[in-house]
Amino acid sequence: MKLQTLQFSIPRLVKMLENGEITIPVLQRDYVWSKEQVRDLAESIYRNYPIGVMILIEIPKDYRTNEKEQYWILDGQQRLISLCLIMQRTCSTLEKLKPVVIWFDPKNETFELRKPREDKEKWIMLHELFSRQTMIEVYEWLNEEEIPQDFHPKILDLWTKFRGGFYEVPVYLLPDNLDIDDIANIFVRVNFAGTKVKGTDIYSTMITVIRPDLVKELKEFSNQLQIDIDYGILVRTFIAFLTDGVVKLESRVLNQAEKLKEILKSKEDILPLIKEHVKEYTNKVLELLQENGFKEIPTGNVLPIMAYYLYKKGDSVTNEEKIGLMKWFILATFFQRYSTSTETRMNEDLKIIKEKGSYKDLIKKIVEKEGNIVDRIKTYLEEGKYEEARYKLLLFTLLKFSNAKDLCNNGDFTYDYFTIHHIFPKKILSDLKKDETIINDIGNLTILTADCNLKLSDTLPEEYLSRCKDEQLKAHYIPLEKELWQLDNVEEFIKKRKEMLMKAVEDIFKI
């Protein structure tokens, strides 16, 4: 394989991307750089720091989609797109990208993402400077903007490095006589070898090699879902279905790629059917979640397990099992089952399902790691600390299982549309110098719609709770003893309510 080493100016690279001469192959991941990373790249170039080598490959003729298309970028995609954003604020070929505006402070020679205050010295926006094609145009613009003369040399130096083409990026150019397997192997080794990487990135690459149309369809399916699910989660789900219960194929990155390629080729004829199963049972999981009030979910990592569970159960899945699977979903999320060693733990759970285990067996796996889960949750409640993600989920779950309704209009609330409500108003307790641990104790919190929360705001519970029916209050685990609703009895109220919440935990999660 003959490898050419070239030097490309920044304007040339950006132009090649914008006019479609350089394209991004399907096997590439999405653009993920933050605005801060784009800003730092601009500063590196200004200071003449190296930004690494990019790798282009001449696209084999059979894979070209039009006459303009000449090169795929195999390594350096994030940097190339970022150069486009630095130069132009946007990239016309990538419609979903949000604009990035970078300011240059010529006095301190720093790059900022924030707009300067009015009393600041003249800062300039990079894309406005780089829109000037010649040095004469730059001088005219600087004078029009009344930029102090002392700053002109630094701004001109900035312009010459970017627009003037003085800074050049090293590029390796691969020939077009490589087959698609070689291209994929090069891509995997360059992007993933020796690095900590998600298995989904490897798998998405290899699926693209065998069936690029399948990747495209899964991405389109992901974009159409009513609940926001990352494409990588669908890849994991696809692998679980493809392998009948495995998402981590090997421990080493390159071995994962080779193993998956072997499996994909051996099952190439049934890949469309597997894809349809993934879509069907992903939709079934999302329907189940929505039925239980979840129009968004805290983590998507539970989805492959739930989809595979429903797939293996088929039409025989009972209502009890659906409820049990929801309980597992709550517990796996609450105890952050997949926060570490994600694919290893997924393999453990998929194996349970493959061997005809039930939701109870999945929950027992959580118990193995966490101990007595009922006692653990009760301890959290006893401590009373409200941590947004974990306790939001717990409070919502307990109230949904009791069929709680909004206290103002008796309507339903969903996980993406509710507000945490202080039963004893936060402001009143603060004015009384009550400790924060009392004010924000989970025993003083329930959930309402935003409108109801605003309506009740600083109203004392002895006033508004008296307007509610007993069934409504019981569903919110609110003690019916009216003397506890009085301000003087806030601590006793919280203690009694937490006892009721802990009893609910026993009833719901004791398997």
Side-chain angles (χ1 to χ4, degrees):
M1 179 181 67
K2 186 178 180 182
L3 181 69
Q4 294 186 63
T5 305
L6 307 172
Q7 298 283 334
F8 283 32
S9 70
I10 293 171
R12 183 181 176 189
L13 284 170
V14 172
K15 184 178 180 181
M16 291 170 72
L17 177 65
E18 287 286 80
N19 67 18
E21 192 175 347
I22 294 177
T23 58
I24 299 168
V26 181
L27 52 79
Q28 281 280 17
R29 292 164 289 173
D30 292 335
Y31 181 73
V32 295
W33 269 26
S34 66
K35 291 181 179 181
E36 288 75 18
Q37 287 173 293
V38 180
R39 176 203 60 200
D40 293 347
L41 180 66
E43 184 173 359
S44 293
I45 293 170
Y46 177 70
R47 302 192 186 288
N48 283 319
Y49 297 161
I51 63 168
V53 178
M54 293 185 184
I55 300 179
L56 299 179
I57 181 168
E58 293 183 70
I59 303 174
K61 292 180 181 179
D62 292 344
Y63 290 89
R64 295 183 186 182
T65 58
N66 56 62
E67 292 182 359
K68 288 184 178 179
E69 194 176 32
Q70 297 294 318
Y71 308 101
W72 277 337
I73 183 158
L74 288 194
D75 188 46
Q77 172 206 0
Q78 307 292 322
R79 283 167 286 153
L80 177 59
I81 295 173
S82 296
L83 289 175
C84 189
L85 292 173
I86 292 168
M87 296 292 289
Q88 304 176 165
R89 190 174 74 101
T90 60
C91 287
S92 61
T93 54
L94 300 164
E95 297 176 357
K96 291 184 178 181
L97 283 186
K98 293 181 179 179
V100 177
V101 177
I102 302 174
W103 299 80
F104 178 64
D105 171 11
K107 181 178 181 179
N108 299 302
E109 296 184 81
T110 58
F111 294 80
E112 306 289 348
L113 294 170
R114 58 190 173 89
K115 185 177 181 180
R117 298 192 304 271
E118 292 300 323
D119 60 340
K120 285 280 187 182
E121 298 271 7
K122 287 284 187 178
W123 290 11
I124 62 169
M125 288 187 282
L126 296 193
H127 69 278
E128 286 193 357
L129 172 63
F130 299 146
S131 68
R132 273 65 197 178
Q133 301 294 320
T134 66
M135 190 77 76
I136 294 174
E137 289 181 24
V138 176
Y139 274 115
E140 291 174 349
W141 178 67
L142 291 175
N143 291 326
E144 287 172 8
E145 295 294 315
E146 299 180 349
I147 305 293
Q149 290 283 338
D150 291 349
F151 297 156
H152 287 196
K154 295 174 183 176
I155 295 171
L156 290 169
D157 183 36
L158 176 63
W159 183 88
T160 55
K161 285 190 172 75
F162 283 87
R163 174 57 65 190
F166 277 39
Y167 187 99
E168 292 189 321
V169 180
V171 175
Y172 289 153
L173 182 60
L174 304 178
D176 65 356
N177 58 0
L178 298 174
D179 63 33
I180 197 68
D181 276 1
D182 287 330
I183 293 170
N185 286 332
I186 292 169
F187 177 80
V188 168
R189 288 172 184 273
V190 166
N191 284 275
F192 306 132
T195 65
K196 186 176 181 180
V197 64
K198 294 179 181 177
T200 52
D201 292 327
I202 295 290
Y203 300 156
S204 182
T205 300
M206 301 318 297
I207 294 169
T208 302
V209 171
I210 307 300
R211 290 295 295 265
D213 58 312
L214 191 149
V215 170
K216 182 180 178 182
E217 192 168 339
L218 283 178
K219 284 187 174 181
E220 289 174 352
F221 175 67
S222 175
N223 292 332
Q224 294 166 3
L225 294 173
Q226 293 183 348
I227 294 180
D228 187 25
I229 299 295
D230 182 81
Y231 165 68
I233 298 298
L234 285 182
V235 172
R236 281 197 176 118
T237 308
F238 179 84
I239 298 302
F241 279 52
L242 173 74
T243 59
D244 195 18
V246 179
V247 293
K248 185 175 183 179
L249 304 178
E250 299 283 349
S251 57
R252 293 183 63 229
V253 167
L254 298 180
N255 290 350
Q256 287 186 62
E258 287 301 318
K259 181 69 172 179
L260 179 59
K261 186 165 66 173
E262 178 185 321
I263 295 171
L264 286 166
K265 286 186 174 180
S266 69
K267 297 186 178 182
E268 191 167 1
D269 291 344
I270 61 171
L271 293 183
L273 178 62
I274 295 172
K275 174 202 65 184
E276 291 305 317
H277 283 156
V278 169
K279 291 166 67 174
E280 178 185 353
Y281 286 94
T282 296
N283 277 327
K284 286 183 183 295
V285 171
L286 298 188
E287 286 170 9
L288 179 61
L289 290 169
Q290 287 175 318
E291 287 170 6
N292 287 275
F294 288 91
K295 292 187 177 179
E296 66 174 38
I297 52 177
T299 172
N301 284 330
V302 295
L303 192 140
I305 308 301
M306 297 177 77
Y308 187 66
Y309 188 95
L310 294 178
Y311 167 68
K312 296 298 280 187
K313 294 293 180 180
D315 294 336
S316 65
V317 64
T318 64
N319 191 54
E320 179 202 334
E321 285 179 309
K322 289 181 180 180
I323 295 172
L325 191 58
M326 282 302 302
K327 291 181 181 180
W328 171 85
F329 157 72
I330 299 298
L331 293 170
T333 306
F334 185 84
F335 287 106
Q336 300 174 329
R337 170 94 177 129
Y338 304 122
S339 61
T340 59
S341 305
T342 304
E343 291 176 339
T344 299
R345 290 185 180 167
M346 281 186 172
N347 275 4
E348 292 175 355
D349 294 337
L350 290 168
K351 183 180 179 182
I352 289 171
I353 299 168
K354 182 177 181 179
E355 294 175 353
K356 303 187 185 305
S358 71
Y359 70 88
K360 294 181 182 180
D361 298 304
L362 291 174
I363 292 175
K364 286 176 184 175
K365 202 67 183 176
I366 298 175
V367 172
E368 283 181 19
K369 181 176 184 299
E370 303 297 338
N372 188 314
I373 52 178
V374 171
D375 286 350
R376 286 280 306 279
I377 297 174
K378 286 169 65 177
T379 299
Y380 288 127
L381 287 171
E382 181 62 35
E383 291 173 353
K385 297 176 183 177
Y386 180 78
E387 297 171 6
E388 179 62 24
R390 183 174 290 195
Y391 289 99
K392 174 184 176 182
L393 176 67
L394 177 59
L395 200 53
F396 177 81
T397 300
L398 295 178
L399 268 65
K400 287 301 287 186
F401 269 94
S402 67
N403 198 29
K405 306 290 184 182
D406 189 62
L407 292 179
C408 292
N409 59 26
N410 207 38
D412 289 324
F413 35 71
T414 57
Y415 189 73
D416 64 321
Y417 185 67
F418 74 78
T419 301
I420 294 295
H421 171 71
H422 289 74
I423 299 170
F424 284 83
K426 187 174 184 178
K427 184 178 184 305
I428 292 175
L429 294 180
S430 297
D431 290 344
L432 291 173
K433 309 297 184 186
K434 290 291 185 180
D435 192 276
E436 282 289 323
T437 57
I438 293 294
I439 297 172
N440 295 312
D441 193 295
I442 197 168
N444 190 38
L445 305 177
T446 192
I447 60 179
L448 302 175
T449 60
D451 290 343
C452 186
N453 182 57
L454 184 62
K455 181 178 178 181
L456 298 179
S457 60
D458 296 336
T459 309
L460 286 168
E462 60 184 304
E463 180 181 339
Y464 70 85
L465 292 181
S466 62
R467 300 195 293 264
C468 299
K469 295 179 180 180
D470 286 357
E471 307 87 73
Q472 286 180 294
L473 299 177
K474 287 178 182 178
H476 281 261
Y477 306 100
I478 291 174
L480 299 183
E481 297 91 333
K482 293 185 178 181
E483 64 271 16
L484 295 180
W485 305 348
Q486 295 172 10
L487 192 56
D488 291 342
N489 295 326
V490 57
E491 293 183 31
E492 192 176 345
F493 172 91
I494 288 173
K495 180 182 178 183
K496 180 66 180 291
R497 185 162 184 267
K498 286 200 294 189
E499 290 173 358
M500 296 171 73
L501 290 170
M502 287 189 276
K503 178 63 169 59
V505 170
E506 291 181 356
D507 293 341
I508 294 170
F509 293 115
K510 202 160 188 177
I511 305 300

